[in-house]
């Protein structure tokens, strides 16, 4: 483990779709502990950056180091590397319970299905119990333990968003990546989510991509601002908000920078 450097270091990432340069030499550092927010207007390239780090998008050039080692992300291998993510939207199994959805995030720990059932070894059973207990702990952290046995489809959106977060957290990631975690949440739910994420920062580093400035202002330790695929500012939330380039980028947006 490289304690001195950042946990994730992306350098000079370039991504183009067709003729469109969507990321142009984008560099970000996620510190070992703390929350990095990547903000910017719609279409700035935030999701593309997120997808590049997760391995959904292959950059044309640039490098990513995780823990000081080159990261060649593959979406299905992220959890094992210590990275978990939630996507824009939910991606839950609507007809499974809250608990089952969270356990699904631990698929690298539980071998369910025919083989496990046939063997039915006490060892496999013990491990499943552990995973279940761990899933319940995660639900407690998120304040939704009471909903553990309810079917996801029957629950309000705000709760389902927490289930999606729980599914990422059960793998005990060193880096948690969130794409617009506050999208679709009420003001109260957004404040509660910020509280939950603040509580996690001792255990896991967070990189979150977000359109809304207010949400990230009080939550993030550092911000990177993207506009048209380029980093136009980075630093503490206070300094970033005051940056004229950032204010210009957000001009005409419904999210006011001055009154955030
Ligand atoms: N798969 C794709 N093919 C072509 N263009 C894309 C693709 N994904 C995103 N884009 C374009 O890249 C730009 C950045 O998109 P995105 O990363 O989704 O921005 P953000 O998340 O900041 O709103 C937009 O102009 C978008 O239309
Ligand atoms: Mg996006």
């Amino acid at each position: 483990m490289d304690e001195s450097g950042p946990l994730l270091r992306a350098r000079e990432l370039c991504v183009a779709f067709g003729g469109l340069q969507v990321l142009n030499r984008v560099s970000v550092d996620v510190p070992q502990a703390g929350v990095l927010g990547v903000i910017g207007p719609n279409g700035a390239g935030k999701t593309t950056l997120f997808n590049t780090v997760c391995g959904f998008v292959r950059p044309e050039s640039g490098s990513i180091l995780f823990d000081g080692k080159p990261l060649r992300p593959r979406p299905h291998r992220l959890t094992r590397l210590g990275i978990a993510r939630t996507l824009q939207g939910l991606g839950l199994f609507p007809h499974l319970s809250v608990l089952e959805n969270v356990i699904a995030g631990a698929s690298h720990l539980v071998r369910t299905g025919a083989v496990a059932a046939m063997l039915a070894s006490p060892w496999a059973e013990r491990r499943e119990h552990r995973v279940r207990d761990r899933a319940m702990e995660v639900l407690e952290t998120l304040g939704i333990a009471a909903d553990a046995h309810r079917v996801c489809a029957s629950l309000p959106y705000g709760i389902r968003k927490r289930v999606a977060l729980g599914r990422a957290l059960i793998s005990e990631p060193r880096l948690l990546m969130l794409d617009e975690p506050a999208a679709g949440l009420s003001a109260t739910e957004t404040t509660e989510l910020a509280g939950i994420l603040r509580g996690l920062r001792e255990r896991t580093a967070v990189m979150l991509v977000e359109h809304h400035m207010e949400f990230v202002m009080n939550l993030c330790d550092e911000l990177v601002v993207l506009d048209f695929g380029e980093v136009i500012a980075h630093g503490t939330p206070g300094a970033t908000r005051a940056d004229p380039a950032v204010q210009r980028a957000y001009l005409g947006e419904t999210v006011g920078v001055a009154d955030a």
Side-chain angles (χ1 to χ4, degrees):
M1 195 192 295
D2 178 4
E3 291 282 2
S4 53
L7 180 58
L8 183 93
R9 164 165 287 201
R11 278 292 163 277
E12 307 266 315
L13 294 175
C14 289
V15 172
F17 293 127
L20 185 68
Q21 194 74 37
V22 177
L23 294 183
N24 189 15
R25 301 175 62 190
V26 168
S27 299
V28 296
D29 280 347
V30 184
Q32 294 279 347
V35 184
L36 173 76
V38 177
I39 60 169
N42 269 326
K46 303 182 298 294
T47 295
T48 305
L49 173 62
F50 185 95
N51 286 344
T52 307
V53 173
C54 291
F56 290 116
V57 169
R58 193 69 60 86
E60 297 171 307
S61 58
S63 63
I64 306 174
L65 295 180
F66 184 67
D67 225 357
K69 292 185 285 289
L71 176 70
R72 289 186 225 301
R74 303 273 184 283
H76 61 280
R77 283 180 41 213
L78 280 180
T79 323
R80 244 174 299 162
L81 294 171
I83 302 174
R85 63 177 197 276
T86 67
L87 303 176
Q88 235 174 321
L90 288 168
L92 296 174
F93 301 108
H95 303 298
L96 295 186
S97 72
V98 166
L99 186 64
E100 287 162 338
N101 266 285
V102 171
I103 288 174
S107 55
H108 64 299
L109 296 176
V110 215
R111 263 179 258 280
T112 44
V115 179
M118 240 157 41
L119 296 174
S121 71
W123 172 73
E125 222 169 273
R126 260 204 311 279
R127 189 160 60 169
E128 295 217 16
H129 275 297
R130 267 214 316 275
V131 171
R132 237 183 143 71
D133 291 347
R134 171 73 196 130
M136 282 308 296
E137 278 169 33
V138 169
L139 293 179
E140 306 254 350
T141 309
L142 298 173
I144 53 172
D147 296 313
H149 301 294
R150 297 185 62 190
V151 170
C152 268
S154 70
L155 293 166
Y157 187 75
I159 305 276
R160 282 182 283 151
K161 282 289 264 194
R162 287 195 198 188
V163 178
L165 182 56
R167 196 169 58 174
L169 284 177
I170 193 170
S171 65
E172 302 189 15
R174 292 183 59 205
L175 174 63
L176 176 64
M177 310 242 325
L178 309 170
D179 193 0
E180 302 216 7
L185 297 185
S186 70
T188 311
E189 288 168 338
T190 303
T191 309
E192 285 171 3
L193 177 65
I196 289 170
L197 294 179
R198 257 196 298 277
L200 295 176
R201 77 164 120 209
E202 300 298 315
R203 273 177 282 170
T204 171
V206 178
M207 171 172 158
L208 69 92
V209 154
E210 189 51 62
H211 177 70
H212 292 286
M213 255 216 178
E214 296 100 313
F215 174 66
V216 296
M217 274 296 154
N218 295 321
L219 172 61
C220 296
D221 300 298
E222 282 178 53
L223 291 183
V224 167
V225 187
L226 282 184
D227 193 25
F228 293 110
E230 302 201 7
V231 174
I232 58 163
H234 62 97
T236 62
T240 311
R241 174 161 51 179
D243 193 313
V246 177
Q247 304 213 2
R248 269 197 304 279
Y250 270 90
L251 270 185
E253 292 271 333
T254 49
V255 188
V257 176
D259 57 15

